[in-house]
Amino acid sequence: MLLAAVISLFPFTIFSTFLVPIAAAANEETSVVGMLRGLGGVAALVTGIGIAPLIARWSAPHTTAASLVMLSGTSLIATVGTLPTLIVFCVGIGAATAILTPTLLLTATTRYPNRGDSGRAATIVTATQSLAAVLAAPVIGGIALWRGWQGVLWITAIAASILAVFFLRASRVPRAGSAPRLPYAVSFAQLRHRHDLLALVAIAFLRTTAFMGYLAVLAAHYHDRFGLEPTAVTLVWTLSGASFFTGNFLAGRWARGGRRRQKLLLALGLIGAAIALIALFTTEVLAGALIATVLMGFCHAIVAALITTLIAERGDELTAAAYSINAAGMSLGVFTGALLAGAGLAFGGGGAIAWALGIPTLLALVFVPVATGRTAVHNGP
């Protein structure tokens, strides 16, 4: 499962890392090819909402294998290097990951009867993904020494295919479909009445809006404010990613301390993220900005881990649907964050960015009491 979680990050990381040579191979402007990445987010959003109630009804090994095969096939298609094949790639990878990630999280939660253990297992999956995001670039760079970006996609496709075969053969992996199979419309109806789960999805959307907006302008801010060159900015990215992994991993343990601790951690994570955001975009001292970057990644990781844990502990028969809707909400947050951060950068610089992204962060605090309140199970549509 952890290897599948890692592989799921590779295609779009490759696309972003080798955007210039990929655009050159397609004889298109870099900006045009870069915008295709947004198609993946749209595909993930639509797919996540559309299949949310269905994931729990499918065999987890077969669903994982199918999404890995889709990831493998679209990666191979992209190596043709034309604009149509790159469109297929972005849409296909977005849809594949929208199925793969919730399935992996659901599989992790169903391996353990204890709710604390299931939540911890799910956070290990997300922590591994965040670590992979930090380490993927140098690994991909090393593989690219053999036949460039196309060679990396070939290797990714082969690895995904091998993992797909493993999941098909791994009969011991529990079926997500072992949970009660609610009708499609009933799943959405029951989820609508689970205010705690909806509050968690809202927090995830707002948190992702703030964090992805911050990442969208991070390089530009460090260059404009402190004069850092791209090579130095990559180290800042690594620092941010490492702090996010650390926070995600540790919060998975801390979250097992009961409802009061979970509420406190969720609130402190959002407050710390807001403070870090304001400090980062207002300070004139590089050391202060780097400390704020570490705090930003760490606090957002705590919130992300708490959301994953609470869905695992509270979801019951709606866990799969909640994970899928949560992923769709985060996909929407990526677009919203980039829009808000871009507007802030264009109209007011660092201060405006801090306000534009700080408001969603603080707004998420409103949903914390509902998200961590007593579970209210609704047994009818």
Side-chain angles (χ1 to χ4, degrees), residues 76-373:
L76 290 176
I77 289 174
T79 61
V80 176
T82 62
L83 186 61
T85 59
L86 293 176
I87 292 174
V88 172
F89 168 79
C90 290
V91 172
I93 295 299
T97 53
I99 298 172
L100 179 59
T101 300
T103 303
L104 292 176
L105 292 175
L106 183 64
T107 304
T109 61
T110 55
R111 290 190 68 90
Y112 302 97
N114 181 277
R115 291 194 174 191
D117 292 336
S118 65
R120 176 63 178 146
T123 58
I124 288 177
V125 173
T126 57
T128 301
Q129 285 184 314
S130 64
L131 180 62
V134 177
L135 301 178
V139 172
I140 288 171
I143 299 175
L145 296 175
W146 178 75
R147 296 184 179 273
W149 63 272
Q150 292 170 315
V152 186
L153 284 176
W154 289 333
I155 296 297
T156 300
I158 292 171
S161 298
I162 293 173
L163 281 172
V165 173
F166 170 79
F167 275 98
L168 289 176
R169 294 171 59 90
S171 59
R172 293 185 179 181
V173 177
R175 285 190 58 177
S178 59
R181 297 188 177 189
L182 298 174
Y184 185 90
V186 173
S187 295
F188 275 121
Q190 289 200 7
L191 185 60
R192 187 177 69 248
H193 292 282
R194 287 294 303 274
H195 297 159
D196 55 337
L197 297 179
L198 293 178
L200 289 170
V201 172
I203 294 172
F205 161 69
L206 293 167
R207 182 208 72 78
T208 305
T209 296
F211 192 67
M212 297 308 294
Y214 141 81
L215 290 179
V217 297
L218 182 65
H221 177 70
Y222 268 96
H223 178 269
D224 295 342
R225 181 70 60 86
F226 305 107
L228 294 189
E229 296 299 324
T231 303
V233 172
T234 60
L235 298 178
V236 177
W237 274 85
T238 302
L239 185 66
S240 177
S243 63
F244 191 94
F245 163 74
T246 304
N248 200 299
F249 184 81
L250 292 177
R253 296 190 176 202
W254 298 338
R256 301 179 65 174
R259 190 162 58 92
R260 287 186 178 180
R261 177 183 288 189
Q262 291 169 342
K263 182 177 181 179
L264 180 63
L265 284 171
L266 203 53
L268 289 178
L270 290 169
I271 293 171
I275 293 173
L277 185 69
I278 295 172
L280 173 63
F281 287 106
T282 57
T283 184
E284 300 289 341
V285 181
L286 178 59
L290 293 175
I291 293 173
T293 295
V294 171
L295 182 62
M296 184 80 171
F298 190 83
C299 289
H300 272 275
I302 290 176
V303 178
L306 263 294
I307 292 170
T308 300
T309 299
L310 287 168
I311 290 177
E313 292 184 0
R314 293 164 169 261
D316 297 321
E317 72 275 10
L318 297 174
T319 298
Y323 274 139
S324 188
I325 295 296
N326 185 64
M330 289 193 294
S331 294
L332 181 61
V334 172
F335 289 101
T336 308
L339 179 64
L340 291 177
L345 183 64
F347 293 109
I353 296 172
W355 276 106
L357 302 180
I359 290 174
T361 306
L362 295 175
L363 183 60
L365 279 168
V366 177
F367 295 96
V368 170
V370 180
T372 56

